[in-house]
Amino acid sequence: MELVVQFQVLNQSCQCLAWKPGPVAAGGAESQHVVAGYSDGTLRVFSVSRTEMELKMHPHAAAVTATAYSTDGEMILSGDKDGLVAVSSPRTGMTIRILADHKGFPITVLQCTRKQYRDFGVEGDELWLATSSDRRVSVWASDWLKDKCELLDWLSFPAPASPEGFGSLPPSLAMFCPWKPGTLVYVGFGVKKEALFYSLHKKQVVEKISLPYFATSLSLSPAARFMAVGFGERLLRLLHCPDGAAQDYAGHDDTVHLCRFAPSGHHLLTASHSAVLVWELTGS
């Protein structure tokens, strides 16, 4: 439990980051890289093993709010406060595509997952989604080597007029479901407090799980059928799917604004204003 590496960028705030996927090289962390998005619209790629910045790119004019690596690690997707999504190559530093479909609303989530090449009747070996703060989710199929990127689905989740007392609305969050291929999970401000499972094959919501409050963070375990949901009421809920069995945990000092399962599924990391908590999942 000690700090082993630290990267510092002066006069800029880091808004988001993502680890490059792929196996760790033999004998250490030679292949460990992280990309970080900053308030000036830049992306920086850091090598953890060499403790140095390898690349700086500037694909955005506004603050970067979300970033993700493609599943093969060959492309970096980034979204900004104005709703633009950029696709950039960490090999060349060039931005190869700009998507303006969410323009006008900050990008809250970018996520990539693998698919079979002809799944959904479109080419490409990757699915990725972009979520913006206006409760819209776009789902894309891509083959970056062939410069193909095709819109597969466009979701817009309804909500009532913003009620009084909501200084800022809960975030719109969507993620691919690891244990249900072709399905994504969405939480956000809406008519009801719930998590929605949407099937890309059936083009409809196929399952709903009620929540006690509107969610502020979300994570799905890659190793078991568990979903972690954080709330502004300093509460963390662990849900077992599909039966919806819930366990609630207190202990945070403020809004649970981040939760992430470890790749093994045995640990869960959560964060609030001034605390980072690590949970061990026994029996998972």
Side-chain angles (χ1 to χ4, degrees), residues 6-239:
Q6 180 173 331
F7 301 105
Q8 189 171 13
V9 176
L10 298 177
N11 303 318
Q12 297 298 330
S13 59
C14 180
Q15 309 277 330
C16 52
L17 57 84
W19 286 93
K20 182 179 179 179
V24 176
E30 288 86 348
S31 66
Q32 290 189 3
H33 290 80
V34 64
V35 60
Y38 288 85
S39 52
D40 62 350
T42 59
L43 295 171
R44 291 171 170 83
V45 177
F46 299 98
S47 167
V48 176
S49 57
R50 292 200 292 272
T51 64
E52 66 181 19
M53 184 180 77
E54 290 190 347
L55 179 66
K56 178 182 176 182
M57 301 179 285
H58 201 159
H60 298 278
V64 181
T65 54
T67 188
Y69 273 97
S70 61
T71 53
D72 60 6
E74 293 299 315
M75 293 293 170
I76 294 173
L77 285 70
S78 54
D80 67 23
K81 190 177 181 181
D82 292 338
L84 298 182
V85 176
V87 182
S88 307
S89 168
R91 290 184 180 273
T92 65
M94 300 292 290
T95 297
I96 63 171
R97 190 182 287 262
I98 296 285
L99 301 167
D101 300 71
H102 290 270
K103 188 174 182 180
F105 294 90
I107 301 297
T108 52
V109 178
L110 291 168
Q111 190 193 10
C112 303
T113 189
R114 292 189 182 278
K115 80 173 185 72
Q116 296 300 311
Y117 197 78
R118 291 289 180 180
D119 274 2
F120 305 102
V122 294
E123 293 185 9
D125 52 8
E126 181 167 275
L127 284 181
W128 63 274
L129 63 78
T131 309
S132 51
S133 63
D134 59 343
R135 303 175 303 281
R136 292 186 298 169
V137 182
S138 60
V139 183
W140 306 76
S142 299
D143 185 336
W144 300 120
L145 292 177
K146 295 184 177 180
D147 195 29
K148 288 184 178 292
C149 184
E150 182 175 345
L151 181 64
L152 184 65
D153 211 336
W154 182 266
L155 315 179
S156 184
F157 294 94
S162 179
E164 293 185 17
F166 264 101
S168 59
L169 292 177
S172 302
L173 304 172
M175 293 183 179
F176 291 111
C177 184
W179 60 83
K180 278 191 176 182
T183 302
L184 61 85
V185 180
Y186 171 85
V187 296
F189 179 64
V191 179
K192 296 181 179 180
K193 303 176 182 71
E194 56 191 2
L196 303 176
F197 287 72
Y198 179 88
S199 169
L200 295 168
H201 292 284
K202 297 180 179 180
K203 304 285 187 180
Q204 65 183 37
V205 174
V206 293
E207 185 183 347
K208 299 179 180 180
I209 296 180
S210 296
L211 301 174
Y213 312 103
F214 288 116
T216 53
S217 54
L218 173 71
S219 186
L220 306 178
S221 171
R225 293 174 177 249
F226 282 106
M227 177 168 65
V229 188
F231 303 101
E233 288 71 17
R234 307 183 183 186
L235 183 73
L236 171 72
R237 172 164 286 193
L238 187 66
L239 287 153

